[in-house]
Amino acid sequence: MLYLAEVQKQRSGFGLGGGKAELKLLACQRGEHNWSAVPGDDAIPVEEANKFNDGTLVLVELSASKQVQRIQEAARQLVSILQNFSRLQDKFKDKEEEIEQWKASLTFSSQELNRREMEMQAREEQLAQMEDELERLEAQRSEIENTRDEANRLREEVDRSRVEIETAWEQLRGEQQRVAQQQSQVPQGAVVDQQQTLRIQELMKKLGGAIASAQGVREQLNQSFGAVGAQQAILDQHWQQLEQKHSIAQQQQEELDRQNQSLQNRWQEWYQSQDALAIARGDLKGQQSTLSAKQDQAQSVSLQVRAVEDLYQQLSRLASASGAAGTQQKVDVSALEKMPVEELQGLVQHLQQDLEKVFRFVNDQEEELTLQRETIDELQGKIQAASEYDRMALENEMADEIESYQMLNETLVGQRLRLQEREDVLKQHQAVLWRRLGTANGSKQGGDMELGPIVAQLNTQRQQQSEELQRLENEIQQVRDAISQMEANVNRQNGEGEAKRYELKQFEQNLFNQKGAVAELWGRVKVYQEMLQPVQDNLNALRQKLEAVAGELDRVQETGDEQDRVVSDLQQVLSGLITA
């Protein structure tokens, strides 16, 4: 199982040897991205931890019996874990934004669904009202049909009465002619017999009955005119409602046209803002290209600085070993002179073993540093040949590698100094041992090389390159600040554009719904008018027929009045004849 631990050392004796190293377990890996703290102050002695400084964080793999299977410094792995954690946080943030967008979308959909449901209910109520109006109009049409049938019946009765009157009138005229003939044939003073008197009275009674029936038709005709007037009053109310609905539809249509024009103007403004956003994105892309170029330049200078730094460190170590630069760590030589030779030999051997461990560790770290530098060079080559789409991802990866390289290089600075100190301590112990054994010091063979001027020249070059790198980093920071401001501006404009686009879409959807409602209102007006116009036409036709019947009845009435006068004259004549 993999643990994160801290190296703890308890020093004993003198010099750098004899320390006892322990690992304090801090955390345990439970999964790929899951770590849990180790409770308590559990510490286990580990000999392999001697090659690490006190307080160094390491990753150690332990077996079930707490035996060390693998140990390594945790700096790079911690950086990787933190980077992964940062990426996971960014992903979680993106997911949260997506969730919020989905929530907003679902809320809008729910509101839209509720609104549609309310519209459907309102339309159902309107449809029910229209059905009620249709039923009332059907009832009115039925009444008008009945009235028309009654008018036709009255007209038939008028025609029949007129025929009866004309027939009775013809018969009366015939009787009158016969009476006249009989009067001309009968001597003066003759009278009408009983049979002729009854016949004449029957004809006058029949003629009077026909006139009375015409009076009944007049009453029924007046009732029909009253029913038609009542139906017209109801239709006038419907025509008034139709006019109101037509006026409302006209107002809504004008408001719809005004909102449609406003929508077109707002879309035009949105397109202009999108053009400005495209220009801002172009400027941002130019700044990003400038930043990429400066980063490439800074990376090249950084690699040169690291190369000079490595060369400077190596020459410094050589100069320190040859006495040209640096000072040796002080060792209690008097204590070494008094120490038994066998113990001194054992101490020297222990220092050599400790130095070999540290040398192997530093050498491994140097190799890892070299691999990271090769990885950075390889990524730089890929970036130069990559497309714009892949370039950003490669730049982020290279930035992570450079950060890991710098952290490992800073860690190696202390490790190199520690290795140099141990070399100095070992050389001083070896010098005392060789002097006490009476053997020559192999390290003094050959002539010393004067490395001081070279180290000084490298130091000057290193400072100049560092200043150049600092200048580039300042320029890069300025460009980054400008890019941050431009990105904030672009994001703000993009957010405002998306919000305005969403608002316009909603407004457009509402306008579309209003268009449907206005079109539906116009349809109702048209249907209502199509329903009312035939009823009005039928009622007008019925009124015309009733007026025609009334005209005929007036003529019949005039004829009846004339007949009434003739009957009265006949009665007087008949009375004279009967009396005579």
Side-chain angles (χ1 to χ4, degrees):
M1 186 172 290
L2 189 62
Y3 289 87
L4 176 65
E6 179 184 4
V7 177
Q8 294 181 347
K9 289 187 177 181
Q10 298 178 358
R11 300 203 175 272
S12 62
F14 56 90
L16 296 176
K20 180 181 179 182
E22 292 181 343
L23 292 180
K24 180 182 179 182
L25 302 181
L26 301 176
C28 177
Q29 187 180 23
R30 303 296 183 183
E32 183 179 359
H33 302 291
N34 186 13
W35 290 79
S36 60
V38 175
D41 296 330
D42 191 9
I44 57 174
V46 177
E47 184 179 355
E48 288 84 349
N50 287 319
K51 61 183 179 181
F52 299 101
N53 291 331
D54 187 23
T56 303
L57 294 177
V58 295
L59 289 174
V60 56
E61 187 173 352
L62 300 179
S63 63
S65 59
K66 299 294 184 181
Q67 296 296 323
V68 177
Q69 295 179 343
R70 182 170 57 89
I71 184 172
Q72 61 180 352
E73 193 170 359
R76 185 178 183 185
Q77 284 75 8
L78 286 177
V79 172
S80 177
I81 291 173
L82 292 175
Q83 290 173 350
N84 291 333
F85 180 73
S86 177
R87 294 190 185 99
L88 287 175
Q89 278 189 327
D90 294 337
K91 290 181 179 179
F92 289 153
K93 185 177 180 181
D94 295 338
K95 292 296 182 182
E96 288 178 355
E97 292 178 355
E98 291 180 2
I99 291 173
E100 291 298 328
Q101 291 176 359
W102 276 107
K103 286 182 179 179
S105 177
L106 289 175
T107 302
F108 174 74
S109 300
S110 177
Q111 294 175 353
E112 185 69 15
L113 184 61
N114 292 333
R115 188 182 62 79
R116 292 288 179 88
E117 186 176 359
M118 295 176 63
E119 288 182 356
M120 290 296 294
Q121 292 178 355
R123 291 181 181 180
E124 288 178 356
E125 294 177 357
Q126 293 175 356
L127 183 61
Q129 293 177 358
M130 291 183 67
E131 290 178 351
D132 295 338
E133 291 178 359
L134 181 61
E135 291 178 357
R136 288 195 297 271
L137 290 176
E138 289 291 337
Q140 291 177 5
R141 187 173 65 179
S142 299
E143 292 179 1
I144 291 173
E145 292 291 337
N146 295 331
T147 305
R148 183 173 60 186
D149 295 339
E150 182 68 19
N152 292 330
R153 187 181 64 79
L154 291 175
R155 187 171 186 177
E156 291 175 357
E157 290 183 359
V158 169
D159 293 338
R160 187 169 58 253
S161 298
R162 184 177 58 186
V163 171
E164 291 178 354
I165 292 173
E166 290 177 354
T167 302
W169 180 252
E170 290 295 332
Q171 291 178 356
L172 183 61
R173 285 179 179 176
E175 291 296 328
Q176 186 178 9
Q177 290 177 359
R178 284 195 299 272
V179 170
Q181 291 177 0
Q182 290 178 359
Q183 286 180 352
S184 62
Q185 294 176 2
V186 176
Q188 187 70 24
V191 296
V192 180
D193 59 8
Q194 185 69 25
Q195 185 178 0
Q196 291 177 344
T197 301
L198 293 174
R199 176 61 178 169
I200 292 172
Q201 289 177 352
E202 182 181 354
L203 290 174
M204 288 188 297
K205 183 177 180 181
K206 186 175 181 181
L207 185 60
I211 296 173
S213 64
Q215 293 295 331
V217 171
R218 169 69 68 179
E219 294 177 358
Q220 293 181 0
L221 183 63
N222 292 332
Q223 292 178 359
S224 298
F225 271 115
V228 170
Q231 295 295 328
Q232 185 63 52
I234 296 175
L235 279 178
D236 290 339
Q237 293 179 358
H238 287 290
W239 281 114
Q240 186 178 2
Q241 292 177 1
L242 177 63
E243 184 64 27
Q244 291 176 356
K245 291 182 179 180
H246 186 277
S247 177
I248 293 173
Q250 186 66 34
Q251 292 176 1
Q252 291 185 1
Q253 183 66 45
E254 293 175 357
E255 178 66 19
L256 185 65
D257 295 339
R258 185 188 64 79
Q259 291 184 2
N260 187 53
Q261 184 62 38
S262 175
L263 178 64
Q264 297 298 326
N265 296 334
R266 293 176 66 181
W267 273 118
Q268 185 65 29
E269 293 176 358
W270 184 81
Y271 286 126
Q272 293 176 358
S273 66
Q274 291 301 302
D275 293 338
L277 179 60
I279 295 174
R281 284 175 175 169
D283 296 339
L284 176 61
K285 188 175 181 181
Q287 289 291 332
Q288 289 175 344
S289 300
T290 302
L291 176 62
S292 179
K294 288 187 177 296
Q295 284 178 340
D296 292 341
Q297 184 180 1
Q299 182 182 357
S300 177
V301 175
S302 178
L303 292 175
Q304 295 176 6
V305 169
R306 287 195 293 270
V308 173
E309 179 69 25
D310 293 341
L311 182 59
Y312 175 77
Q313 294 293 340
Q314 294 175 4
L315 289 178
S316 296
R317 288 197 296 270
L318 291 176
S320 177
S322 63
T327 59
Q328 294 182 342
Q329 184 174 352
K330 294 183 179 180
V331 177
D332 191 356
V333 179
S334 60
L336 296 178
E337 293 289 348
K338 297 177 182 180
M339 185 182 298
V341 176
E342 293 79 3
E343 186 177 351
L344 181 58
Q345 287 178 341
L347 180 58
V348 169
Q349 185 177 3
H350 177 75
L351 290 175
Q352 285 178 342
Q353 294 174 355
D354 187 54
L355 180 62
E356 289 176 359
K357 291 179 182 180
V358 176
F359 178 78
R360 284 195 301 270
F361 174 74
V362 173
N363 190 43
D364 293 339
Q365 297 293 314
E366 292 285 358
E367 291 179 357
E368 186 175 357
L369 190 66
T370 302
L371 292 175
Q372 285 189 351
R373 185 184 302 167
E374 293 175 355
T375 302
I376 291 173
D377 295 338
E378 183 179 355
L379 287 174
Q380 186 176 5
K382 290 181 179 179
I383 289 174
Q384 294 177 354
S387 62
E388 287 294 332
Y389 180 78
D390 298 331
R391 186 183 184 90
M392 184 173 296
L394 292 174
E395 287 178 350
N396 293 332
E397 185 178 356
M398 188 176 69
D400 294 339
E401 292 294 335
I402 291 176
E403 185 178 359
S404 300
Y405 180 89
Q406 292 175 351
M407 291 184 64
L408 184 58
N409 190 30
E410 292 174 358
T411 304
L412 275 176
V413 171
Q415 298 292 342
R416 293 188 189 108
L417 293 176
R418 179 167 168 243
L419 179 61
Q420 183 63 44
E421 291 175 357
R422 295 200 175 193
E423 287 179 356
D424 294 339
V425 171
L426 177 60
K427 288 178 182 179
Q428 294 180 49
H429 282 72
Q430 286 177 341
V432 174
L433 179 60
W434 288 335
R435 185 170 60 253
R436 292 184 63 182
L437 293 176
T439 59
N441 188 356
S443 63
K444 296 297 183 180
Q445 295 178 359
D448 293 336
M449 183 178 181
E450 185 63 30
L451 298 177
I454 299 176
V455 172
Q457 184 178 359
L458 282 175
N459 187 30
T460 302
Q461 184 178 358
R462 182 186 64 172
Q463 292 178 355
Q464 292 175 353
Q465 290 180 344
S466 298
E467 292 175 357
E468 176 68 16
L469 181 62
Q470 184 64 35
R471 183 185 63 80
L472 286 174
E473 288 178 350
N474 292 333
E475 293 179 357
I476 288 173
Q477 186 60 39
Q478 293 176 359
V479 176
R480 282 177 176 171
D481 294 339
I483 288 176
S484 298
Q485 294 179 357
M486 295 178 70
E487 285 180 344
N489 186 29
V490 168
N491 292 332
R492 179 184 58 79
Q493 291 182 2
N494 186 59
E496 292 177 353
E498 289 297 325
K500 190 173 182 180
R501 181 178 177 274
Y502 180 75
E503 180 183 354
L504 289 176
K505 284 292 183 182
Q506 282 188 320
F507 185 75
E508 192 173 34
Q509 182 64 33
N510 294 332
L511 191 61
F512 178 78
N513 296 333
Q514 291 180 14
K515 287 181 180 178
V518 172
E520 183 180 356
L521 182 58
W522 278 117
R524 289 201 302 270
V525 169
K526 184 177 180 181
V527 170
Y528 203 17
Q529 185 175 4
E530 290 176 353
M531 290 168 57
L532 288 177
Q533 192 61 48
V535 177
Q536 183 67 56
D537 294 339
N538 292 332
L539 192 61
N540 293 334
L542 178 59
R543 183 184 291 108
Q544 292 177 359
K545 289 182 179 180
L546 291 176
E547 290 175 352
V549 171
E552 293 291 334
L553 190 60
D554 289 338
R555 286 192 295 273
V556 170
Q557 186 68 37
E558 292 176 358
T559 304
D561 293 340
E562 183 180 355
Q563 291 174 354
D564 193 15
R565 289 192 298 271
V566 172
V567 169
S568 178
D569 294 340
L570 285 175
Q571 286 179 350
Q572 292 178 0
V573 172
L574 183 60
S575 297
L577 291 175
I578 292 173
T579 303

